[in-house]
Amino acid sequence: MTNGKDPYVVLGVQRSATEEEVKAAYKELVKKYHPDQYENNPLKDVAAEKMSEVNQAYDEIINNIRNSEASSRYSASTHFDSQQIRYLIQSGNITQADNMLSAVDPTMRDAEWYFLKGSVCYKRGWFNEAYENFSRAASINPGNAEYTAALNQLNSQRTGSMAGDPMGGAYRNKNADAMNCCCDLICLDSCCECMGGDLIPCC
Amino acid sequence: MFGYIRGYKPYMRVYEFEIYRSIYCGICKDMHRRFGFFTRFTLSYDAAFLALMDLSVHGRKLIEKSERCIAHPWKKTMCAGCENDLSYASDISVLLTYHKLRDDFSDKGFGKKLLSALALPFFKKPYKKACAAHCEISKKIAQAMKLQNKIEKEKTAGIDAACEPTALMMQAVFEGIGRNSRERELLRRFGYCLGRYIYVTDALDDLKDDIQQDNYNPLRIYMQQRGIGLTDKGKVPGEVKQFCDWTVNMSLGVLAESYYALGLKRFRDILDNIIYLGLKNTYSLVKEEKFNKRNKPKKGKAVI
């Protein structure tokens, strides 16, 4: 262990940090303590010691994260065959997938179950129920990128976004047309010229 | 059909509107020619949208003629040619009307029963003709009508389940346009979402009447579940409107996805106008109680 030090304190991350956040924090510290920077420096030993501390803390946290992920995946698959249901949903066999999900005991329903149920509803076109299930899944397991992505997509549609909208909702916002764009550019050019620069050389 | 699918006129170019109207005109003429005088009164701009989608998916060209119209006999208007191109929309229009009348006749109030009993004989023959061409679709519409009755009798609470019959109906109707399995799949999704949109908009439109007349309406059940009533001024409360917003927006979001994936070229601008502006505009007119089903939206009331 890291000389009795808390690895989360060493890396300076929260206990709920994701793998990405841990990696980012680790990179920062490596930049700071890398031995190459202390070649002819009296602090060389201190830096080397710090570096090994950081390395150990990083390994420990990453292992923790991976273990907990694996165990949660394992626990999910003990109640029902998540992989098979996913396959059924993808191949369009919605009825069978729904039947399999309904067979799961209500007390054993976890985030994965709600996510799959949401996917089934989405495929059927039952968007309100899909939304409820996705948000339930995301609230039980907020760290899961898949659940969050599903929820976010439905959320943006819920607030009125439509794919491929040529107006981009612009008919409500009169500022976004070509003339205004030119006008803005000319203003910007004037401002630049005031400060001695030039944005559009020809005017 | 329903009358909720319309373009957003202020943002339509003049020639686009001409095409849109000439297609409406063409379907009317087509119905008259093939089904007789009475069926044409049931026509709405929904059918024009269906015809537009049909023409667009098949990449058909429009033949424009100048003809007199019975609604405006004193002037000649542009009218889309109907060399078999518009028959799909008119057939579907007849099918939907016939099934609606049958449904009204079997289990609605006395007034509707009488009306439908009077109208049904005029639709018997046209129905047979249209059914011969689109047997499968007719069956699916009949099934959806049955499901609708079941849902109304059981007073189903969920909005998703309540939307299902209309959605399935539209799904069958739009699926029929597709030429290959990919297009059919996308159009199925498109139709399903459009049906959801229509149903929720209609439910919101009828909400006040349904509360007064004690009819089934999933939004009414939604209000009962949450213990909210109409506001003091007798308006629909904001909470319900918000709920409808979400439902409609999600349906339109997914609808747009499949529409975009279809990658239609012909009449793209008109379709874009209807799908991205018209549908939302109609919905907000309904929400603000400015929408009038029978007539066109009141003048000067267009919501931007």
mmCIF file with all atom_site columns, all heavy atoms in Angstrom, chain B residues 165-189:
data_model
loop_
_atom_site.group_PDB
_atom_site.id
_atom_site.type_symbol
_atom_site.label_atom_id
_atom_site.label_alt_id
_atom_site.label_comp_id
_atom_site.label_asym_id
_atom_site.label_entity_id
_atom_site.label_seq_id
_atom_site.pdbx_PDB_ins_code
_atom_site.Cartn_x
_atom_site.Cartn_y
_atom_site.Cartn_z
_atom_site.occupancy
_atom_site.B_iso_or_equiv
_atom_site.pdbx_formal_charge
_atom_site.auth_seq_id
_atom_site.auth_comp_id
_atom_site.auth_asym_id
_atom_site.auth_atom_id
_atom_site.pdbx_PDB_model_num
ATOM 1   N N   . PRO B 1 165 ? -53.435 2.620  -30.972 1.00 0.00 ? 165 PRO B N   1
ATOM 2   C CA  . PRO B 1 165 ? -54.281 2.346  -32.142 1.00 0.00 ? 165 PRO B CA  1
ATOM 3   C C   . PRO B 1 165 ? -54.057 3.343  -33.288 1.00 0.00 ? 165 PRO B C   1
ATOM 4   O O   . PRO B 1 165 ? -53.840 2.926  -34.433 1.00 0.00 ? 165 PRO B O   1
ATOM 5   C CB  . PRO B 1 165 ? -55.708 2.483  -31.601 1.00 0.00 ? 165 PRO B CB  1
ATOM 6   C CG  . PRO B 1 165 ? -55.591 2.340  -30.150 1.00 0.00 ? 165 PRO B CG  1
ATOM 7   C CD  . PRO B 1 165 ? -54.253 2.838  -29.765 1.00 0.00 ? 165 PRO B CD  1
ATOM 8   N N   . THR B 1 166 ? -54.082 4.637  -32.979 1.00 0.00 ? 166 THR B N   1
ATOM 9   C CA  . THR B 1 166 ? -53.875 5.640  -34.026 1.00 0.00 ? 166 THR B CA  1
ATOM 10  C C   . THR B 1 166 ? -52.494 5.465  -34.641 1.00 0.00 ? 166 THR B C   1
ATOM 11  O O   . THR B 1 166 ? -52.327 5.551  -35.856 1.00 0.00 ? 166 THR B O   1
ATOM 12  C CB  . THR B 1 166 ? -53.987 7.050  -33.435 1.00 0.00 ? 166 THR B CB  1
ATOM 13  O OG1 . THR B 1 166 ? -55.114 7.096  -32.581 1.00 0.00 ? 166 THR B OG1 1
ATOM 14  C CG2 . THR B 1 166 ? -54.139 8.083  -34.516 1.00 0.00 ? 166 THR B CG2 1
ATOM 15  N N   . ALA B 1 167 ? -51.512 5.206  -33.778 1.00 0.00 ? 167 ALA B N   1
ATOM 16  C CA  . ALA B 1 167 ? -50.146 5.048  -34.264 1.00 0.00 ? 167 ALA B CA  1
ATOM 17  C C   . ALA B 1 167 ? -50.045 3.854  -35.203 1.00 0.00 ? 167 ALA B C   1
ATOM 18  O O   . ALA B 1 167 ? -49.430 3.942  -36.268 1.00 0.00 ? 167 ALA B O   1
ATOM 19  C CB  . ALA B 1 167 ? -49.197 4.889  -33.086 1.00 0.00 ? 167 ALA B CB  1
ATOM 20  N N   . LEU B 1 168 ? -50.686 2.748  -34.826 1.00 0.00 ? 168 LEU B N   1
ATOM 21  C CA  . LEU B 1 168 ? -50.628 1.546  -35.667 1.00 0.00 ? 168 LEU B CA  1
ATOM 22  C C   . LEU B 1 168 ? -51.317 1.783  -37.009 1.00 0.00 ? 168 LEU B C   1
ATOM 23  O O   . LEU B 1 168 ? -50.862 1.315  -38.048 1.00 0.00 ? 168 LEU B O   1
ATOM 24  C CB  . LEU B 1 168 ? -51.286 0.364  -34.959 1.00 0.00 ? 168 LEU B CB  1
ATOM 25  C CG  . LEU B 1 168 ? -50.490 -0.237 -33.801 1.00 0.00 ? 168 LEU B CG  1
ATOM 26  C CD1 . LEU B 1 168 ? -51.277 -1.372 -33.155 1.00 0.00 ? 168 LEU B CD1 1
ATOM 27  C CD2 . LEU B 1 168 ? -49.138 -0.751 -34.270 1.00 0.00 ? 168 LEU B CD2 1
ATOM 28  N N   . MET B 1 169 ? -52.407 2.548  -36.946 1.00 0.00 ? 169 MET B N   1
ATOM 29  C CA  . MET B 1 169 ? -53.139 2.868  -38.168 1.00 0.00 ? 169 MET B CA  1
ATOM 30  C C   . MET B 1 169 ? -52.236 3.640  -39.139 1.00 0.00 ? 169 MET B C   1
ATOM 31  O O   . MET B 1 169 ? -52.106 3.287  -40.305 1.00 0.00 ? 169 MET B O   1
ATOM 32  C CB  . MET B 1 169 ? -54.335 3.733  -37.782 1.00 0.00 ? 169 MET B CB  1
ATOM 33  C CG  . MET B 1 169 ? -55.566 3.486  -38.575 1.00 0.00 ? 169 MET B CG  1
ATOM 34  S SD  . MET B 1 169 ? -56.828 4.663  -38.118 1.00 0.00 ? 169 MET B SD  1
ATOM 35  C CE  . MET B 1 169 ? -57.324 4.142  -36.528 1.00 0.00 ? 169 MET B CE  1
ATOM 36  N N   . MET B 1 170 ? -51.616 4.680  -38.626 1.00 0.00 ? 170 MET B N   1
ATOM 37  C CA  . MET B 1 170 ? -50.745 5.501  -39.464 1.00 0.00 ? 170 MET B CA  1
ATOM 38  C C   . MET B 1 170 ? -49.528 4.700  -39.926 1.00 0.00 ? 170 MET B C   1
ATOM 39  O O   . MET B 1 170 ? -49.024 4.879  -41.028 1.00 0.00 ? 170 MET B O   1
ATOM 40  C CB  . MET B 1 170 ? -50.283 6.731  -38.694 1.00 0.00 ? 170 MET B CB  1
ATOM 41  C CG  . MET B 1 170 ? -51.343 7.765  -38.468 1.00 0.00 ? 170 MET B CG  1
ATOM 42  S SD  . MET B 1 170 ? -51.870 8.516  -40.017 1.00 0.00 ? 170 MET B SD  1
ATOM 43  C CE  . MET B 1 170 ? -53.456 7.808  -40.226 1.00 0.00 ? 170 MET B CE  1
ATOM 44  N N   . GLN B 1 171 ? -49.079 3.809  -39.043 1.00 0.00 ? 171 GLN B N   1
ATOM 45  C CA  . GLN B 1 171 ? -47.950 2.952  -39.400 1.00 0.00 ? 171 GLN B CA  1
ATOM 46  C C   . GLN B 1 171 ? -48.289 2.136  -40.633 1.00 0.00 ? 171 GLN B C   1
ATOM 47  O O   . GLN B 1 171 ? -47.512 2.085  -41.596 1.00 0.00 ? 171 GLN B O   1
ATOM 48  C CB  . GLN B 1 171 ? -47.644 2.025  -38.216 1.00 0.00 ? 171 GLN B CB  1
ATOM 49  C CG  . GLN B 1 171 ? -46.574 1.002  -38.490 1.00 0.00 ? 171 GLN B CG  1
ATOM 50  C CD  . GLN B 1 171 ? -46.265 0.196  -37.246 1.00 0.00 ? 171 GLN B CD  1
ATOM 51  O OE1 . GLN B 1 171 ? -45.829 0.714  -36.228 1.00 0.00 ? 171 GLN B OE1 1
ATOM 52  N NE2 . GLN B 1 171 ? -46.503 -1.087 -37.310 1.00 0.00 ? 171 GLN B NE2 1
ATOM 53  N N   . ALA B 1 172 ? -49.470 1.534  -40.630 1.00 0.00 ? 172 ALA B N   1
ATOM 54  C CA  . ALA B 1 172 ? -49.894 0.716  -41.774 1.00 0.00 ? 172 ALA B CA  1
ATOM 55  C C   . ALA B 1 172 ? -50.021 1.574  -43.028 1.00 0.00 ? 172 ALA B C   1
ATOM 56  O O   . ALA B 1 172 ? -49.612 1.176  -44.111 1.00 0.00 ? 172 ALA B O   1
ATOM 57  C CB  . ALA B 1 172 ? -51.219 0.042  -41.468 1.00 0.00 ? 172 ALA B CB  1
ATOM 58  N N   . VAL B 1 173 ? -50.579 2.782  -42.852 1.00 0.00 ? 173 VAL B N   1
ATOM 59  C CA  . VAL B 1 173 ? -50.817 3.659  -43.999 1.00 0.00 ? 173 VAL B CA  1
ATOM 60  C C   . VAL B 1 173 ? -49.490 4.080  -44.645 1.00 0.00 ? 173 VAL B C   1
ATOM 61  O O   . VAL B 1 173 ? -49.345 4.017  -45.865 1.00 0.00 ? 173 VAL B O   1
ATOM 62  C CB  . VAL B 1 173 ? -51.623 4.900  -43.551 1.00 0.00 ? 173 VAL B CB  1
ATOM 63  C CG1 . VAL B 1 173 ? -51.582 5.976  -44.613 1.00 0.00 ? 173 VAL B CG1 1
ATOM 64  C CG2 . VAL B 1 173 ? -53.056 4.506  -43.259 1.00 0.00 ? 173 VAL B CG2 1
ATOM 65  N N   . PHE B 1 174 ? -48.524 4.489  -43.831 1.00 0.00 ? 174 PHE B N   1
ATOM 66  C CA  . PHE B 1 174 ? -47.272 4.986  -44.407 1.00 0.00 ? 174 PHE B CA  1
ATOM 67  C C   . PHE B 1 174 ? -46.362 3.865  -44.878 1.00 0.00 ? 174 PHE B C   1
ATOM 68  O O   . PHE B 1 174 ? -45.598 4.038  -45.815 1.00 0.00 ? 174 PHE B O   1
ATOM 69  C CB  . PHE B 1 174 ? -46.554 5.904  -43.421 1.00 0.00 ? 174 PHE B CB  1
ATOM 70  C CG  . PHE B 1 174 ? -47.110 7.295  -43.447 1.00 0.00 ? 174 PHE B CG  1
ATOM 71  C CD1 . PHE B 1 174 ? -48.185 7.645  -42.656 1.00 0.00 ? 174 PHE B CD1 1
ATOM 72  C CD2 . PHE B 1 174 ? -46.592 8.242  -44.307 1.00 0.00 ? 174 PHE B CD2 1
ATOM 73  C CE1 . PHE B 1 174 ? -48.732 8.917  -42.702 1.00 0.00 ? 174 PHE B CE1 1
ATOM 74  C CE2 . PHE B 1 174 ? -47.127 9.519  -44.363 1.00 0.00 ? 174 PHE B CE2 1
ATOM 75  C CZ  . PHE B 1 174 ? -48.198 9.860  -43.554 1.00 0.00 ? 174 PHE B CZ  1
ATOM 76  N N   . GLU B 1 175 ? -46.464 2.730  -44.215 1.00 0.00 ? 175 GLU B N   1
ATOM 77  C CA  . GLU B 1 175 ? -45.661 1.585  -44.639 1.00 0.00 ? 175 GLU B CA  1
ATOM 78  C C   . GLU B 1 175 ? -45.971 1.243  -46.093 1.00 0.00 ? 175 GLU B C   1
ATOM 79  O O   . GLU B 1 175 ? -45.087 0.860  -46.853 1.00 0.00 ? 175 GLU B O   1
ATOM 80  C CB  . GLU B 1 175 ? -45.962 0.387  -43.736 1.00 0.00 ? 175 GLU B CB  1
ATOM 81  C CG  . GLU B 1 175 ? -45.045 -0.790 -43.973 1.00 0.00 ? 175 GLU B CG  1
ATOM 82  C CD  . GLU B 1 175 ? -45.485 -2.007 -43.180 1.00 0.00 ? 175 GLU B CD  1
ATOM 83  O OE1 . GLU B 1 175 ? -46.561 -1.966 -42.563 1.00 0.00 ? 175 GLU B OE1 1
ATOM 84  O OE2 . GLU B 1 175 ? -44.730 -2.989 -43.189 1.00 0.00 ? 175 GLU B OE2 1
ATOM 85  N N   . GLY B 1 176 ? -47.225 1.422  -46.463 1.00 0.00 ? 176 GLY B N   1
ATOM 86  C CA  . GLY B 1 176 ? -47.667 1.079  -47.820 1.00 0.00 ? 176 GLY B CA  1
ATOM 87  C C   . GLY B 1 176 ? -46.995 1.867  -48.926 1.00 0.00 ? 176 GLY B C   1
ATOM 88  O O   . GLY B 1 176 ? -47.027 1.478  -50.080 1.00 0.00 ? 176 GLY B O   1
ATOM 89  N N   . ILE B 1 177 ? -46.352 2.987  -48.556 1.00 0.00 ? 177 ILE B N   1
ATOM 90  C CA  . ILE B 1 177 ? -45.701 3.812  -49.572 1.00 0.00 ? 177 ILE B CA  1
ATOM 91  C C   . ILE B 1 177 ? -44.362 3.218  -50.007 1.00 0.00 ? 177 ILE B C   1
ATOM 92  O O   . ILE B 1 177 ? -43.971 3.330  -51.156 1.00 0.00 ? 177 ILE B O   1
ATOM 93  C CB  . ILE B 1 177 ? -45.449 5.241  -49.026 1.00 0.00 ? 177 ILE B CB  1
ATOM 94  C CG1 . ILE B 1 177 ? -46.772 5.918  -48.687 1.00 0.00 ? 177 ILE B CG1 1
ATOM 95  C CG2 . ILE B 1 177 ? -44.685 6.069  -50.037 1.00 0.00 ? 177 ILE B CG2 1
ATOM 96  C CD1 . ILE B 1 177 ? -46.577 7.270  -48.053 1.00 0.00 ? 177 ILE B CD1 1
ATOM 97  N N   . GLY B 1 178 ? -43.682 2.591  -49.065 1.00 0.00 ? 178 GLY B N   1
ATOM 98  C CA  . GLY B 1 178 ? -42.291 2.159  -49.289 1.00 0.00 ? 178 GLY B CA  1
ATOM 99  C C   . GLY B 1 178 ? -42.124 1.201  -50.448 1.00 0.00 ? 178 GLY B C   1
ATOM 100 O O   . GLY B 1 178 ? -43.020 0.412  -50.751 1.00 0.00 ? 178 GLY B O   1
ATOM 101 N N   . ARG B 1 179 ? -40.951 1.287  -51.081 1.00 0.00 ? 179 ARG B N   1
ATOM 102 C CA  . ARG B 1 179 ? -40.694 0.428  -52.224 1.00 0.00 ? 179 ARG B CA  1
ATOM 103 C C   . ARG B 1 179 ? -39.871 -0.799 -51.847 1.00 0.00 ? 179 ARG B C   1
ATOM 104 O O   . ARG B 1 179 ? -39.955 -1.843 -52.453 1.00 0.00 ? 179 ARG B O   1
ATOM 105 C CB  . ARG B 1 179 ? -39.958 1.192  -53.322 1.00 0.00 ? 179 ARG B CB  1
ATOM 106 C CG  . ARG B 1 179 ? -40.804 2.234  -54.010 1.00 0.00 ? 179 ARG B CG  1
ATOM 107 C CD  . ARG B 1 179 ? -39.943 3.095  -54.883 1.00 0.00 ? 179 ARG B CD  1
ATOM 108 N NE  . ARG B 1 179 ? -38.901 3.748  -54.109 1.00 0.00 ? 179 ARG B NE  1
ATOM 109 C CZ  . ARG B 1 179 ? -38.000 4.571  -54.617 1.00 0.00 ? 179 ARG B CZ  1
ATOM 110 N NH1 . ARG B 1 179 ? -37.988 4.808  -55.902 1.00 0.00 ? 179 ARG B NH1 1
ATOM 111 N NH2 . ARG B 1 179 ? -37.102 5.153  -53.841 1.00 0.00 ? 179 ARG B NH2 1
ATOM 112 N N   . ASN B 1 180 ? -38.976 -0.621 -50.849 1.00 0.00 ? 180 ASN B N   1
ATOM 113 C CA  . ASN B 1 180 ? -38.159 -1.759 -50.435 1.00 0.00 ? 180 ASN B CA  1
ATOM 114 C C   . ASN B 1 180 ? -38.200 -1.882 -48.919 1.00 0.00 ? 180 ASN B C   1
ATOM 115 O O   . ASN B 1 180 ? -38.809 -1.055 -48.245 1.00 0.00 ? 180 ASN B O   1
ATOM 116 C CB  . ASN B 1 180 ? -36.719 -1.575 -50.917 1.00 0.00 ? 180 ASN B CB  1
ATOM 117 C CG  . ASN B 1 180 ? -36.203 -0.197 -50.558 1.00 0.00 ? 180 ASN B CG  1
ATOM 118 O OD1 . ASN B 1 180 ? -36.411 0.255  -49.427 1.00 0.00 ? 180 ASN B OD1 1
ATOM 119 N ND2 . ASN B 1 180 ? -35.569 0.479  -51.488 1.00 0.00 ? 180 ASN B ND2 1
ATOM 120 N N   . SER B 1 181 ? -37.544 -2.891 -48.400 1.00 0.00 ? 181 SER B N   1
ATOM 121 C CA  . SER B 1 181 ? -37.703 -3.180 -46.974 1.00 0.00 ? 181 SER B CA  1
ATOM 122 C C   . SER B 1 181 ? -37.143 -2.054 -46.102 1.00 0.00 ? 181 SER B C   1
ATOM 123 O O   . SER B 1 181 ? -37.688 -1.745 -45.050 1.00 0.00 ? 181 SER B O   1
ATOM 124 C CB  . SER B 1 181 ? -37.036 -4.499 -46.614 1.00 0.00 ? 181 SER B CB  1
ATOM 125 O OG  . SER B 1 181 ? -35.660 -4.419 -46.872 1.00 0.00 ? 181 SER B OG  1
ATOM 126 N N   . ARG B 1 182 ? -36.064 -1.410 -46.577 1.00 0.00 ? 182 ARG B N   1
ATOM 127 C CA  . ARG B 1 182 ? -35.481 -0.336 -45.775 1.00 0.00 ? 182 ARG B CA  1
ATOM 128 C C   . ARG B 1 182 ? -36.453 0.846  -45.677 1.00 0.00 ? 182 ARG B C   1
ATOM 129 O O   . ARG B 1 182 ? -36.716 1.364  -44.603 1.00 0.00 ? 182 ARG B O   1
ATOM 130 C CB  . ARG B 1 182 ? -34.165 0.127  -46.403 1.00 0.00 ? 182 ARG B CB  1
ATOM 131 C CG  . ARG B 1 182 ? -33.503 1.237  -45.621 1.00 0.00 ? 182 ARG B CG  1
ATOM 132 C CD  . ARG B 1 182 ? -32.202 1.704  -46.244 1.00 0.00 ? 182 ARG B CD  1
ATOM 133 N NE  . ARG B 1 182 ? -31.811 2.945  -45.600 1.00 0.00 ? 182 ARG B NE  1
ATOM 134 C CZ  . ARG B 1 182 ? -32.182 4.148  -46.019 1.00 0.00 ? 182 ARG B CZ  1
ATOM 135 N NH1 . ARG B 1 182 ? -32.959 4.260  -47.076 1.00 0.00 ? 182 ARG B NH1 1
ATOM 136 N NH2 . ARG B 1 182 ? -31.791 5.224  -45.383 1.00 0.00 ? 182 ARG B NH2 1
ATOM 137 N N   . GLU B 1 183 ? -36.979 1.223  -46.835 1.00 0.00 ? 183 GLU B N   1
ATOM 138 C CA  . GLU B 1 183 ? -37.933 2.334  -46.843 1.00 0.00 ? 183 GLU B CA  1
ATOM 139 C C   . GLU B 1 183 ? -39.174 2.003  -46.035 1.00 0.00 ? 183 GLU B C   1
ATOM 140 O O   . GLU B 1 183 ? -39.688 2.833  -45.286 1.00 0.00 ? 183 GLU B O   1
ATOM 141 C CB  . GLU B 1 183 ? -38.344 2.661  -48.283 1.00 0.00 ? 183 GLU B CB  1
ATOM 142 C CG  . GLU B 1 183 ? -37.382 3.590  -48.979 1.00 0.00 ? 183 GLU B CG  1
ATOM 143 C CD  . GLU B 1 183 ? -37.779 3.848  -50.424 1.00 0.00 ? 183 GLU B CD  1
ATOM 144 O OE1 . GLU B 1 183 ? -38.847 3.371  -50.852 1.00 0.00 ? 183 GLU B OE1 1
ATOM 145 O OE2 . GLU B 1 183 ? -37.009 4.513  -51.114 1.00 0.00 ? 183 GLU B OE2 1
ATOM 146 N N   . ARG B 1 184 ? -39.627 0.773  -46.177 1.00 0.00 ? 184 ARG B N   1
ATOM 147 C CA  . ARG B 1 184 ? -40.837 0.389  -45.439 1.00 0.00 ? 184 ARG B CA  1
ATOM 148 C C   . ARG B 1 184 ? -40.598 0.471  -43.941 1.00 0.00 ? 184 ARG B C   1
ATOM 149 O O   . ARG B 1 184 ? -41.443 0.942  -43.196 1.00 0.00 ? 184 ARG B O   1
ATOM 150 C CB  . ARG B 1 184 ? -41.273 -1.023 -45.834 1.00 0.00 ? 184 ARG B CB  1
ATOM 151 C CG  . ARG B 1 184 ? -41.837 -1.093 -47.238 1.00 0.00 ? 184 ARG B CG  1
ATOM 152 C CD  . ARG B 1 184 ? -42.101 -2.515 -47.643 1.00 0.00 ? 184 ARG B CD  1
ATOM 153 N NE  . ARG B 1 184 ? -43.358 -3.008 -47.119 1.00 0.00 ? 184 ARG B NE  1
ATOM 154 C CZ  . ARG B 1 184 ? -44.533 -2.802 -47.711 1.00 0.00 ? 184 ARG B CZ  1
ATOM 155 N NH1 . ARG B 1 184 ? -44.593 -2.124 -48.825 1.00 0.00 ? 184 ARG B NH1 1
ATOM 156 N NH2 . ARG B 1 184 ? -45.630 -3.281 -47.193 1.00 0.00 ? 184 ARG B NH2 1
ATOM 157 N N   . GLU B 1 185 ? -39.423 0.028  -43.529 1.00 0.00 ? 185 GLU B N   1
ATOM 158 C CA  . GLU B 1 185 ? -39.093 0.059  -42.097 1.00 0.00 ? 185 GLU B CA  1
ATOM 159 C C   . GLU B 1 185 ? -39.081 1.503  -41.587 1.00 0.00 ? 185 GLU B C   1
ATOM 160 O O   . GLU B 1 185 ? -39.664 1.819  -40.546 1.00 0.00 ? 185 GLU B O   1
ATOM 161 C CB  . GLU B 1 185 ? -37.717 -0.614 -41.890 1.00 0.00 ? 185 GLU B CB  1
ATOM 162 C CG  . GLU B 1 185 ? -37.380 -0.936 -40.456 1.00 0.00 ? 185 GLU B CG  1
ATOM 163 C CD  . GLU B 1 185 ? -38.495 -1.712 -39.749 1.00 0.00 ? 185 GLU B CD  1
ATOM 164 O OE1 . GLU B 1 185 ? -38.989 -2.708 -40.311 1.00 0.00 ? 185 GLU B OE1 1
ATOM 165 O OE2 . GLU B 1 185 ? -38.872 -1.280 -38.653 1.00 0.00 ? 185 GLU B OE2 1
ATOM 166 N N   . LEU B 1 186 ? -38.423 2.383  -42.339 1.00 0.00 ? 186 LEU B N   1
ATOM 167 C CA  . LEU B 1 186 ? -38.350 3.789  -41.927 1.00 0.00 ? 186 LEU B CA  1
ATOM 168 C C   . LEU B 1 186 ? -39.744 4.430  -41.928 1.00 0.00 ? 186 LEU B C   1
ATOM 169 O O   . LEU B 1 186 ? -40.095 5.187  -41.019 1.00 0.00 ? 186 LEU B O   1
ATOM 170 C CB  . LEU B 1 186 ? -37.423 4.571  -42.860 1.00 0.00 ? 186 LEU B CB  1
ATOM 171 C CG  . LEU B 1 186 ? -35.929 4.286  -42.679 1.00 0.00 ? 186 LEU B CG  1
ATOM 172 C CD1 . LEU B 1 186 ? -35.127 4.920  -43.803 1.00 0.00 ? 186 LEU B CD1 1
ATOM 173 C CD2 . LEU B 1 186 ? -35.441 4.798  -41.335 1.00 0.00 ? 186 LEU B CD2 1
ATOM 174 N N   . LEU B 1 187 ? -40.519 4.103  -42.944 1.00 0.00 ? 187 LEU B N   1
ATOM 175 C CA  . LEU B 1 187 ? -41.855 4.695  -43.029 1.00 0.00 ? 187 LEU B CA  1
ATOM 176 C C   . LEU B 1 187 ? -42.790 4.157  -41.948 1.00 0.00 ? 187 LEU B C   1
ATOM 177 O O   . LEU B 1 187 ? -43.684 4.858  -41.483 1.00 0.00 ? 187 LEU B O   1
ATOM 178 C CB  . LEU B 1 187 ? -42.451 4.458  -44.419 1.00 0.00 ? 187 LEU B CB  1
ATOM 179 C CG  . LEU B 1 187 ? -41.871 5.373  -45.506 1.00 0.00 ? 187 LEU B CG  1
ATOM 180 C CD1 . LEU B 1 187 ? -42.142 4.808  -46.885 1.00 0.00 ? 187 LEU B CD1 1
ATOM 181 C CD2 . LEU B 1 187 ? -42.443 6.774  -45.394 1.00 0.00 ? 187 LEU B CD2 1
ATOM 182 N N   . ARG B 1 188 ? -42.550 2.906  -41.557 1.00 0.00 ? 188 ARG B N   1
ATOM 183 C CA  . ARG B 1 188 ? -43.325 2.344  -40.429 1.00 0.00 ? 188 ARG B CA  1
ATOM 184 C C   . ARG B 1 188 ? -43.112 3.206  -39.190 1.00 0.00 ? 188 ARG B C   1
ATOM 185 O O   . ARG B 1 188 ? -44.056 3.616  -38.532 1.00 0.00 ? 188 ARG B O   1
ATOM 186 C CB  . ARG B 1 188 ? -42.821 0.934  -40.102 1.00 0.00 ? 188 ARG B CB  1
ATOM 187 C CG  . ARG B 1 188 ? -43.521 -0.185 -40.788 1.00 0.00 ? 188 ARG B CG  1
ATOM 188 C CD  . ARG B 1 188 ? -42.770 -1.471 -40.484 1.00 0.00 ? 188 ARG B CD  1
ATOM 189 N NE  . ARG B 1 188 ? -43.003 -1.901 -39.115 1.00 0.00 ? 188 ARG B NE  1
ATOM 190 C CZ  . ARG B 1 188 ? -44.010 -2.692 -38.757 1.00 0.00 ? 188 ARG B CZ  1
ATOM 191 N NH1 . ARG B 1 188 ? -44.831 -3.148 -39.662 1.00 0.00 ? 188 ARG B NH1 1
ATOM 192 N NH2 . ARG B 1 188 ? -44.193 -3.049 -37.501 1.00 0.00 ? 188 ARG B NH2 1
ATOM 193 N N   . ARG B 1 189 ? -41.838 3.440  -38.910 1.00 0.00 ? 189 ARG B N   1
ATOM 194 C CA  . ARG B 1 189 ? -41.489 4.246  -37.737 1.00 0.00 ? 189 ARG B CA  1
ATOM 195 C C   . ARG B 1 189 ? -42.063 5.655  -37.861 1.00 0.00 ? 189 ARG B C   1
ATOM 196 O O   . ARG B 1 189 ? -42.612 6.205  -36.928 1.00 0.00 ? 189 ARG B O   1
ATOM 197 C CB  . ARG B 1 189 ? -39.953 4.302  -37.648 1.00 0.00 ? 189 ARG B CB  1
ATOM 198 C CG  . ARG B 1 189 ? -39.391 4.897  -36.387 1.00 0.00 ? 189 ARG B CG  1
ATOM 199 C CD  . ARG B 1 189 ? -39.444 3.916  -35.283 1.00 0.00 ? 189 ARG B CD  1
ATOM 200 N NE  . ARG B 1 189 ? -38.584 4.310  -34.167 1.00 0.00 ? 189 ARG B NE  1
ATOM 201 C CZ  . ARG B 1 189 ? -38.733 3.842  -32.941 1.00 0.00 ? 189 ARG B CZ  1
ATOM 202 N NH1 . ARG B 1 189 ? -39.681 2.979  -32.674 1.00 0.00 ? 189 ARG B NH1 1
ATOM 203 N NH2 . ARG B 1 189 ? -37.927 4.213  -31.975 1.00 0.00 ? 189 ARG B NH2 1
#
